[in-house]
Amino acid sequence: MRRAVVLPGLLMLAFMGCGGAAKNSLSASDLRTQATRLCTIARKQTDRIATPTGPATAAAFLNRGLAVLDPELKALRQLHPSGDLGQVYATSIDAFAQKVNALRTAAATLAGNGDPVVTMKSLEQQIAPLEGQENGAWLALEIPACLNR
């Protein structure tokens, strides 16, 4: 489950405030540079999140991951690549957004006293194909920093 939140942070907003996310179309090189920076910041933050030690810590794990992934997704959505890159980039962002939504749903289920073991197993099954789509797009874009681990 750890790999579900080990992609991509709170510093993204600071990066965006520094002019990192332009509304103009980005070249492939600019997209790679900016997305790599965003994903690297988020990865450092998610790497600090302790893996759940048991069912009782699953909700906290998901919430800590969401605290990093939500701002990362928002920042990545501010990048607008040009040409055909835009379609591939949209695929990566769509899969990432679906993964974040699945994490949010699982966290809500746990907050409502859902069974942690069942919820986490279901989450893993939901996000596996999404991570595959997302990783395929990140590879096609040549942005390995954004790959799920």
Side-chain angles (χ1 to χ4, degrees):
M1 176 57 216
R2 180 158 170 81
R3 69 185 174 110
V5 294
V6 177
L7 197 166
L10 298 174
L11 294 176
M12 255 72 50
L13 296 176
F15 175 72
M16 286 173 41
C18 295
K23 292 199 180 208
N24 298 333
S25 291
L26 296 172
S27 68
S29 176
D30 289 340
L31 174 66
R32 287 182 190 111
T33 298
Q34 291 184 30
T36 294
R37 182 170 178 181
L38 294 170
C39 292
T40 300
I41 291 167
R43 174 143 312 166
K44 287 178 183 177
Q45 292 175 330
T46 58
D47 283 350
R48 288 185 238 143
I49 299 171
T51 303
T53 56
T57 59
F61 173 72
L62 292 178
N63 288 324
R64 286 185 189 111
L66 286 166
V68 174
L69 296 176
D70 279 332
E72 178 189 20
L73 177 60
K74 183 177 180 178
L76 288 169
R77 282 184 167 154
Q78 298 302 310
L79 303 181
H80 302 283
S82 59
D84 292 337
L85 288 177
Q87 293 174 358
V88 178
Y89 189 71
T91 298
S92 65
I93 297 303
D94 183 55
F96 186 20
Q98 289 181 56
K99 179 178 70 178
V100 169
N101 285 335
L103 293 167
R104 192 175 293 112
T105 299
T109 299
L110 293 173
N113 294 321
D115 183 305
V117 174
V118 172
T119 301
M120 296 304 277
K121 284 185 181 185
S122 176
L123 176 62
E124 288 178 22
Q125 291 172 349
Q126 286 179 310
I127 65 172
L130 296 171
E131 287 181 335
Q133 291 173 353
E134 187 184 356
N135 283 345
W138 292 126
L139 286 171
L141 293 165
E142 300 176 27
I143 307 175
C146 294
L147 292 171
N148 294 281
R149 294 189 274 166

